[in-house]
Structure formats: structure tokens, C-alpha cells
């Protein structure tokens, strides 16, 4: 039985027909990507979105040419019914799998016991990197936020299931995707605390605190600081003062700050 056609949009464009990679022309790629994300659209919407800087007549002509040049498949990759176009029902699009998986996790009905096992879509890349058209940027940010929320939710669920190692993996995927996102760092600290690794939790908090101060000039939220237990007070220290001095002092426990991260972060 022939394998179904596959359209990959995460990490770059790739179309597979009958198990072999084919490369449509540039406008064909844009057309398939848009339809793969939206599933269906009218000719007016397609022409106006993909060719916004030309007249409507010219844009519709470009759409007809792009449709004609698409790789041949049975059924066609895009079915035309009057003014309406629809993606082939058997075309497997990786974005759809990511969306289903992430929404299932956020809703609390995802299989956490199999989480992050390759090729888990939550571990995937961004949508069409290098494409800078407005409709791509909007969808890329939507999927990025959905993935990050799913990873946060997944990490919390794995901690509740007493699986801190997997929780750390989920949290670190989120940290690498967005180094300044506090919820991801809270998940890292929660996992360390669940394992009883207080020193690791404090070290990570301090590294994030310095990163946040360098990049944004702000402090972690009280919710984050409150996750760390107070140190036992001495007879010369008021209750809570030792922790406050440790966390807010100039050295934050003597942990060196990480290098300026750009889009990556390491403690």
C-alpha cells in the first residue's frame, strides 16, 4: 500500500509523495504551506494573501499558475471547487500533529507517560524558519506559544507523577526555546526540588535571576522566589532574613552569571 503524502513545515518545507521527496516551485511551496496551515480557503483570500502587492487580476493569475505547476498526485494535493480550495484529506501535515498533541497536553488528556519520546512533535523546530511573510510570522508565533504552554503543562504533570527527570527534559526544551520565560525556569526548579536537589534549585534560580536582571532589569516574581525554602534561622538572624540575604545579595550564593544568551540559555 502506497504511503500517504506528507507535508513537513516544521524546520523547513518538505513534501513527500509515494515516499520520495519532491520540490515544488517557490510559489507552489507557499501555496501548499498556506493551505497546509489553513486546510481550506477561497481563491480571493489565497490570491490576496500570497500576492498582496499586485492587482487582484494578476494575483489570481499567479494562483492559477501555481496550482497548475503543483506536483501531480491522486487525489490532487489541492482540490478546487469553484471559488473554494481544500487540501487533500489524506495529506499528513506535521503542524496538525503538533497542534493536536499540544492541545491534548494543555487540556490534560495527553499521554504524559510517553511524553518527549522521539519523534514527539513538542521537540520539533519552528515553523518555516527563514520565511518572513506576515501570514507565516503569525502562525509561527501561535505555534510557538502553544508549544511552550504545552511544555509547561507537561513538566508540571510529570512532577506530580513523581517523574522529575522527564519533567526536567520538558522544562529545558521550553527554556531553550525562550530563555526569558519564567514559567519554564520555575518548572526546572520544581523538578530539582522534587528530587531533593536544593543546591541545584538555588543555583538555577540565581542564574536565571542574573539573566533577567541583565536582559530586562527586573527581578523574578515573588511566586518564583517563594518556591525556595527558607534557610534555618540562627539566633542572630530573623526568620526569613537568611534566605532573603542569600537570594537578593550581590553574589546570589556565589553563582557566576551565564553569558548573554541570545536565543539560547545555559546555567
Amino acid at each position: 500500500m502506497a504511503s500517504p503524502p506528507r507535508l513537513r513545515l516544521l524546520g523547513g518545507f518538505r513534501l513527500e509523495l509515494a515516499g520520495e521527496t519532491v520540490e515544488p516551485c517557490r510559489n507552489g511551496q507557499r501555496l501548499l504551506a498556506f493551505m497546509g496551515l489553513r486546510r481550506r480557503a477561497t481563491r480571493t483570500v489565497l490570491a490576496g494573501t500570497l500576492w498582496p502587492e499586485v492587482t487582484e487580476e494578476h494575483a489570481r493569475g499567479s494562483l492559477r499558475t501555481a496550482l497548475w505547476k503543483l506536483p501531480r498526485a491522486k487525489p490532487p494535493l489541492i482540490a478546487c471547487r469553484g471559488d473554494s480550495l481544500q487540501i487533500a484529506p489524506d495529506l499528513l501535515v506535521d503542524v496538525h500533529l503538533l497542534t493536536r498533541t499540544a492541545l491534548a497536553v494543555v487540556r490534560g488528556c495527553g499521554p504524559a507517560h510517553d511524553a518527549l519520546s522521539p519523534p514527539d512533535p513538542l521537540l520539533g523546530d519552528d515553523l518555516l524558519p527563514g520565511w518572513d511573510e506576515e501570514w507565516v510570522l503569525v502562525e509561527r508565533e501561535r505555534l510557538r506559544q502553544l508549544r511552550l504552554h504545552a511544555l509547561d503543562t507537561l513538566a508540571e504533570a510529570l512532577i506530580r507523577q513523581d517523574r522529575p527527570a522527564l519533567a526536567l527534559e520538558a522544562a529545558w526544551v521550553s527554556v531553550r526555546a525562550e530563555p526569558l520565560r519564567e514559567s519554564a525556569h520555575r518548572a526546572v526548579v520544581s523538578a530539582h526540588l522534587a528530587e531533593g536537589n536544593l543546591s541545584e534549585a538555588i543555583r538555577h534560580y540565581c542564574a536565571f535571576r542574573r539573566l533577567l536582571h541583565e536582559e530586562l532589569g527586573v527581578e523574578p516574581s515573588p511566586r518564583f522566589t517563594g518556591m525556595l525554602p527558607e534557610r534555618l534561622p540562627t539566633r542572630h538572624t530573623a526568620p526569613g532574613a537568611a534566605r532573603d540575604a542569600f537570594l537578593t545579595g550581590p553574589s546570589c550564593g556565589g553563582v557566576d552569571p551565564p553569558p548573554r544568551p541570545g536565543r539560547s540559555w545555559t546555567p
Side-chain angles (χ1 to χ4, degrees):
M1 185 175 181
S3 59
R6 296 177 180 271
L7 178 61
R8 304 181 190 276
L9 304 177
L10 300 174
F13 183 96
R14 183 177 178 181
L15 176 65
E16 297 179 5
L17 297 178
E20 297 185 358
T21 300
V22 297
E23 189 169 348
C25 65
R26 175 61 178 173
N27 280 338
Q29 293 182 24
R30 296 168 65 239
L31 174 59
L32 284 170
F34 186 91
M35 291 298 298
L37 291 168
R38 300 290 183 89
R39 297 178 186 268
R40 59 179 60 85
T42 65
R43 290 178 181 266
T44 302
V45 169
L46 269 169
T49 302
L50 299 183
W51 295 276
E53 298 178 355
V54 300
T55 65
E56 181 178 354
E57 181 180 0
H58 189 175
R60 283 180 171 265
S62 297
L63 174 58
R64 287 193 296 271
T65 300
L67 286 167
W68 181 75
K69 288 185 176 181
L70 286 179
R72 298 293 180 258
K74 292 184 179 180
L77 296 174
I78 297 178
C80 305
R81 295 181 178 85
D83 192 52
S84 179
L85 282 75
Q86 183 172 338
I87 202 77
D90 63 337
L91 179 63
L92 302 179
V93 184
D94 57 358
V95 170
H96 299 167
L97 177 58
L98 167 61
T99 301
R100 288 195 302 270
T101 302
L103 287 176
V105 171
V106 170
R107 291 167 179 160
C109 52
H113 61 281
D114 288 332
L116 306 179
S117 300
D120 192 297
L122 296 182
L123 300 175
D125 299 313
D126 284 338
L127 173 71
L128 297 170
W131 292 34
D132 58 0
E133 296 176 73
E134 184 64 28
W135 58 274
V136 177
L137 298 179
V138 171
E139 289 294 329
R140 184 184 298 151
E141 180 61 17
R142 179 187 71 84
L143 291 171
R144 189 181 75 89
Q145 289 293 334
L146 179 59
R147 176 189 277 131
L148 290 173
H149 279 96
L151 289 167
D152 290 348
T153 303
L154 180 59
E156 293 171 1
L158 290 167
I159 290 170
R160 290 194 300 269
Q161 295 175 12
D162 194 25
R163 308 187 74 178
L166 281 177
L168 269 175
E169 182 65 22
W172 272 109
V173 173
S174 185
V175 167
R176 288 193 293 269
E178 183 46 74
L180 295 175
R181 185 180 176 87
E182 182 180 297
S183 57
H185 292 276
R186 288 201 305 265
V188 172
V189 168
S190 292
H192 285 315
L193 292 175
E195 291 183 307
N197 294 327
L198 179 58
S199 63
E200 290 285 341
I202 293 175
R203 183 178 68 86
H204 188 93
Y205 170 90
C206 290
F208 174 67
R209 178 176 176 266
R210 292 200 175 193
L211 172 66
L212 204 60
H213 181 74
E214 290 179 0
E215 295 292 331
L216 302 178
V218 299
E219 292 288 326
S221 68
R223 175 183 176 185
F224 197 177
T225 304
M227 291 173 60
L228 298 171
E230 296 186 11
R231 304 177 87 186
L232 292 176
T234 67
R235 58 182 178 178
H236 302 294
T237 307
R243 183 193 67 170
D244 294 340
F246 186 87
L247 296 180
T248 61
S251 65
C252 196
V255 177
D256 293 330
R260 296 181 72 84
R263 300 303 298 170
S264 61
W265 189 88
T266 54

